Amino acid sequence: MKLSERLISPGLILFGGGVIIASAGLPQVPGVRFGADLMPSITGGALILFGGLLGWKAWSKPLTEPLVDTSEWEVSLRKRLTAIWTIGALLAATLLFQSVGFPLIGLIFMTVLMVLMGARPLTIAIVAPLFVLALHLSFTRIMHVELPAGPLGAFL
């Protein structure tokens, strides 16, 4: 789907403003000269600036193309299902992340995604579990990120 710059520019400006407002609520870090809100505020300001420049360019010329172009959506069913699975599974994973855990969510997500993309069963059986295990171990053991392990936690 292609969106016109006339739609994207106000979205960027609003998103940038939201980032700045949200970053104002971040707690101050003791002993640091600049607070935790500095980088998000700079990013929000850059989004507002970029959205303004993009909007200036888009609104200064006459409208010659549609605001929304869905001609790119004429794809195969497999590609549509892949896109739907990716978005839907990520939303579901967000809700179930704490109770189901990263390894199981990652394994289900990656397995179905590989099937939809046409991978061979042997490749799926080897790559999906090893990749998810490597991700989980690198985040939890090397980077010390506390990922929920869920029901597979006893095996990790």
Side-chain angles (χ1 to χ4, degrees):
M1 175 169 53
K2 182 179 178 185
L3 296 177
S4 169
E5 293 172 351
R6 292 178 183 233
L7 295 177
I8 294 172
S9 63
L12 286 174
I13 292 169
L14 289 172
F15 184 64
V19 168
I20 292 172
I21 291 169
S23 69
L26 293 174
Q28 294 296 320
V29 179
V32 176
R33 191 168 162 197
F34 300 104
D37 62 336
L38 177 65
M39 285 309 293
S41 296
I42 291 172
T43 304
L47 285 167
I48 291 171
L49 177 66
F50 182 69
L53 292 173
L54 189 65
W56 182 273
K57 177 186 165 197
W59 288 93
S60 64
K61 60 183 180 183
L63 183 63
T64 57
E65 56 187 35
L67 293 176
V68 179
D69 180 14
T70 59
S71 63
E72 294 177 1
W73 286 8
E74 302 302 323
V75 296
S76 67
L77 178 62
R78 175 179 273 183
K79 288 183 179 179
R80 286 185 196 171
L81 289 175
T82 303
I84 291 168
W85 168 254
T86 302
I87 294 168
L90 287 175
L91 290 173
T94 302
L95 299 173
L96 300 171
F97 190 68
Q98 292 296 326
S99 59
V100 177
F102 176 81
L104 192 55
I105 286 177
L107 186 62
I108 293 169
F109 178 79
M110 191 164 179
T111 301
V112 174
L113 192 61
M114 288 178 77
V115 167
L116 288 171
M117 293 175 74
R120 293 182 302 182
L122 181 61
T123 304
I124 296 169
I126 294 171
V127 172
L130 289 177
F131 185 75
V132 170
L133 179 64
L135 270 179
H136 183 63
L137 293 177
S138 64
F139 271 97
T140 56
R141 305 280 162 77
I142 297 171
M143 293 184 269
H144 303 290
V145 176
E146 294 184 23
L147 292 176
L152 297 181
F155 303 108
L156 302 173

